[in-house]
Amino acid sequence: MAMQARAAAASTAAAVVQEEEEEICGPLPVTKLEACGISATDCKKLEEAGYHTVEAVAFTPKKALIAIKGISEAKADKIIAECNKMVPMGFTTATEFHQKRAEIIQLTTGSKELDKLLGGGIETGSITEIFGEFRTGKTQICHTLAVTCQLPVDMGGGEGRCLYIDTEGTFRPERLLAVSERYQLSGNDVLDNVAYARAYNSDHQMQLLMQAAAMMSESRYALMIVDSATALYRTDYSGRGELSARQNHLARFLRMLLRLADEFGVAVVITNQVVAQVDGAAMFAADPKKPIGGNIMAHSSTTRLYLRKGRGETRICKIYDSPCLPESEAMFAINTDGIGDAKD
């Protein structure tokens, strides 16, 4: 009897330790600061301002915290000091970082060729930008990823939900059902695991990211899609007079996306439109199209993929910019059940 009781106690202790480890692995809720002498009222103020985790507060500059109503400079200093104790933000060895990189999950795109080009799939914890003309498969890749991110890790998924911000009105749940059939997933479950929002202007787009941070702190998400990140900026800001304001707003939006990728380890996929170059240099360029958003967009994205049309249903994806992948191309096809390999 004593042996059984001991065994039960040991299993309970093991479960508690496992739970604690699981908690440590994920982002820490901002309420953890209460144990460090930060009042519950201040924690609530941080949550209302969109900071739902200790990591979010730690990654934020001091002036942003002081801008929150009711947070003085002295309080901000104390909050930052406590967050820095909880979140490792110092130096680490390249060996440790290499081990962390080895654990990164990659999401399959549905095409083996495209996955091979990307070194396994869409990387979590970073921003992947997909740009190209209309009808090159940007939205179709997004729809396929919204389903594949829900697959088990051994099948190339992320075992998490998907957040989809649509600015162009091109989201179609029917496409998700077609892709879910291909992977033998329950259509209703797949749709329930996708949180969809339509953005109507660039400010609304920013507000949706605040809501996204709150949702991610409550349940596990593997992927965040913004299709397209720049469409509303093209119409909300026009002419050279508003260019500076547009780029500043876009930079803040992209910084927030990067914060979510760092904080929750989600894969962030954004699509971008192109513009035709009409200056003198365009005469000598093989392809006169370039992505919009300028250098701010270029520096914010970790990996940039350029899509162009091929024959029939085939499309070509080129690595335009990446910190670790060579510049090469792969061919894929848009099928009725999502993105797949091109048939010879």
Side-chain angles (χ1 to χ4, degrees):
M1 193 74 181
M3 287 284 282
Q4 281 177 328
R6 232 177 281 154
S11 66
T12 311
V16 168
V17 168
Q18 196 178 349
E19 267 180 35
E20 279 177 6
E21 278 179 2
E22 277 175 17
E23 273 186 20
I24 291 163
C25 287
L28 302 164
V30 83
T31 46
K32 289 262 182 198
L33 289 171
E34 285 178 36
C36 305
I38 309 295
S39 70
T41 323
D42 288 343
C43 290
K44 196 166 185 296
K45 281 174 189 165
L46 289 169
E47 278 192 323
E48 282 167 3
Y51 304 106
H52 297 272
T53 65
V54 176
E55 283 81 354
V57 182
F59 299 157
T60 304
K62 185 176 158 184
K63 69 172 186 179
L65 294 180
I66 296 169
I68 301 167
K69 199 178 176 186
I71 304 279
S72 64
E73 194 168 340
K75 270 184 190 173
D77 285 333
K78 192 181 178 194
I79 290 167
I80 289 166
E82 294 303 334
C83 289
N84 289 347
K85 285 178 197 169
M86 291 180 169
V87 182
M89 287 174 71
F91 284 97
T92 176
T93 63
T95 311
E96 280 176 45
F97 189 66
H98 184 57
Q99 283 168 350
K100 264 191 198 168
R101 291 269 314 152
E103 290 164 15
I104 282 176
I105 295 167
Q106 285 172 317
L107 309 176
T108 177
T109 56
S111 157
K112 287 190 180 76
E113 283 299 309
L114 197 48
D115 286 349
K116 202 162 97 183
L117 177 79
L118 297 170
I122 300 288
E123 194 178 272
T124 54
S126 65
I127 298 178
T128 304
E129 178 199 338
I130 302 169
F131 70 91
E133 278 185 290
F134 65 96
R135 216 171 66 83
T136 50
K138 301 188 294 292
T139 301
Q140 297 307 319
I141 288 179
C142 291
H143 280 72
T144 306
L145 285 168
V147 177
T148 61
C149 75
Q150 302 177 34
L151 291 169
V153 174
D154 57 1
M155 284 175 72
E159 289 179 19
R161 295 174 169 191
C162 169
L163 261 165
Y164 200 115
I165 296 176
D166 176 20
T167 65
E168 298 177 341
T170 51
F171 178 74
R172 296 290 179 271
E174 307 88 90
R175 297 293 295 140
L176 300 187
L177 292 172
V179 181
S180 64
E181 271 178 40
R182 166 183 166 186
Y183 289 103
Q184 278 116 44
L185 296 170
S186 153
N188 288 340
D189 289 349
V190 164
L191 295 183
D192 284 343
N193 285 333
V194 177
Y196 165 78
R198 174 77 198 272
Y200 293 99
N201 59 56
S202 51
D203 289 332
H204 182 216
Q205 197 170 312
M206 195 75 170
Q207 281 168 1
L208 288 172
L209 282 197
M210 303 283 252
Q211 288 178 36
M215 290 160 75
M216 284 181 189
S217 64
E218 283 163 20
S219 55
R220 179 172 158 69
Y221 283 84
L223 172 69
M224 173 151 191
I225 294 168
V226 186
D227 181 30
S228 111
T230 47
L232 297 173
Y233 286 95
R234 286 185 103 164
T235 49
D236 289 2
Y237 299 89
S238 56
R240 291 218 164 161
E242 291 185 286
L243 184 63
S244 173
R246 180 186 94 167
Q247 293 301 82
N248 280 339
H249 199 293
L250 181 61
R252 283 199 304 277
F253 177 75
L254 293 167
R255 171 76 184 269
M256 180 79 172
L257 277 180
L258 191 58
R259 197 190 89 191
L260 292 178
D262 286 336
E263 207 178 313
F264 299 102
V266 295
V268 175
V269 174
I270 58 176
T271 67
N272 192 4
Q273 300 178 343
V274 291
V275 63
Q277 283 177 284
V278 288
D279 55 2
M283 291 167 62
F284 308 104
D287 194 348
K289 289 176 287 295
K290 64 174 187 178
I292 64 169
N295 289 329
I296 281 181
M297 195 76 178
H299 294 307
S300 299
S301 313
T302 315
T303 308
R304 308 187 89 190
L305 306 176
Y306 172 39
L307 304 185
R308 62 179 198 272
K309 298 183 190 90
R311 280 188 191 163
E313 289 305 304
T314 63
R315 303 286 184 270
I316 297 145
C317 173
K318 179 186 180 184
I319 291 182
Y320 195 77
D321 173 37
S322 165
C324 58
L325 299 168
E327 197 173 296
S328 52
E329 293 182 351
M331 199 179 275
F332 65 93
I334 301 171
N335 303 321
T336 49
D337 57 0
I339 298 294
D341 285 317
K343 295 173 184 74
D344 293 329

